[in-house]
């Protein structure tokens, strides 16, 4: 889906350039047709968000010591696990940023040897919750390690997903 600001003019329609005919025998190259297979474009890092102009999203974060919650823990709306932290953030927030925020509220995450495992929790097409592990960080940030630099948007986070953090 193409994003466009309200004030931007609509894109001009594509037109063929006038000139001699193209095709076999004309001496001009014919662009490949859309029916030919092409390699998918390389996956690009998501563009940074202007945090001054973009409204943050509410991220519901559930922490648990020793492992992740189960899908059944999220099965009944309104009866999610009690160890919830609500964070206002943006889709370009990295797992390192979220690690530092979790460390502020969970003393166990501050331990030198603590590892934090991140998983998205979201409903599948049948309405059942799925838990998908997306990354791991260390409590101490010794340079870029593991998945520190991965942003929510790069990991296919959708607004409304929960974030489950296992403190290992």
């Amino acid at each position: 889906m193409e994003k466009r600001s309200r004030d931007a003019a609509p894109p001009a329609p594509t037109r063929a350039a006038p000139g001699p005919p193209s095709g076999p025998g004309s001496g001009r190259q014919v662009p490949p047709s859309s029916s030919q297979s092409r390699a998918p474009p390389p996956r690009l890092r998501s563009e940074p968000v202007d945090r001054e102009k973009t409204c943050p999203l509410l991220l519901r974060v559930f922490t648990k010591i020793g492992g992740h919650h189960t899908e059944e823990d999220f099965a009944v709306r309104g009866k999610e696990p009690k160890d919830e932290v609500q964070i206002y953030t943006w889709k370009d927030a990295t797992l390192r940023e979220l690690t530092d925020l979790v460390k502020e509220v969970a003393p166990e995450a501050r331990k030198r040897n603590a590892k934090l495992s991140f998983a998205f929790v979201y409903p599948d097409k049948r309405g059942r919750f799925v838990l998908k592990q997306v990354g791991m960080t260390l409590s101490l940030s010794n340079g870029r390690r593991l998945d520190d630099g991965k942003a929510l948007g790069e990991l296919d986070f959708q607004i409304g997903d929960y974030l489950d953090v296992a403190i290992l």
Side-chain angles (χ1 to χ4, degrees):
M1 181 167 76
E2 181 179 319
K3 292 185 181 179
R4 204 173 355 140
S5 71
R6 293 180 201 205
D7 300 328
T14 306
R15 292 186 293 183
S22 63
S26 68
R28 295 183 67 185
Q29 289 281 40
V30 177
S33 70
S34 60
S35 64
Q36 292 177 343
S37 64
R38 295 185 203 175
R43 186 170 180 164
L44 303 173
R45 289 187 72 122
S46 58
E47 292 185 26
V49 174
D50 183 348
R51 294 184 177 193
E52 293 292 321
K53 295 180 180 177
T54 305
C55 183
L57 59 94
L58 174 64
L59 179 62
R60 296 181 67 187
V61 180
F62 299 90
T63 59
K64 184 176 177 187
I65 300 167
H68 286 284
H69 290 93
T70 64
E71 288 92 349
E72 292 79 31
D73 292 335
F74 297 95
V76 179
R77 182 144 180 108
K79 294 192 178 186
E80 293 87 5
K82 299 294 180 206
D83 45 9
E84 177 180 359
V85 179
Q86 295 184 350
I87 298 173
Y88 285 94
T89 190
W90 294 265
K91 283 181 113 176
D92 70 342
T94 63
L95 295 185
R96 170 50 49 194
E97 288 178 76
L98 296 171
T99 296
D100 293 340
L101 291 170
V102 168
K103 285 167 51 176
E104 289 180 20
V105 296
E108 302 82 8
R110 296 181 207 138
K111 294 181 180 174
R112 293 181 62 86
N113 60 347
K115 289 183 182 179
L116 282 72
S117 175
F118 294 85
F120 295 152
V121 181
Y122 56 91
D124 65 9
K125 292 179 181 178
R126 295 171 301 204
R128 295 187 199 139
F129 277 93
V130 175
L131 193 134
K132 175 185 165 192
Q133 292 192 24
V134 294
M136 176 95 64
T137 63
L138 300 174
S139 178
L140 296 177
S141 62
N142 298 341
R144 288 187 55 154
R145 280 211 219 155
L146 299 174
D147 300 318
D148 284 4
K150 290 185 180 177
L152 292 175
E154 292 174 38
L155 298 168
D156 295 327
F157 172 82
Q158 299 292 314
I159 294 175
D161 292 353
Y162 301 148
L163 182 66
D164 189 63
V165 181
I167 302 169
L168 309 170

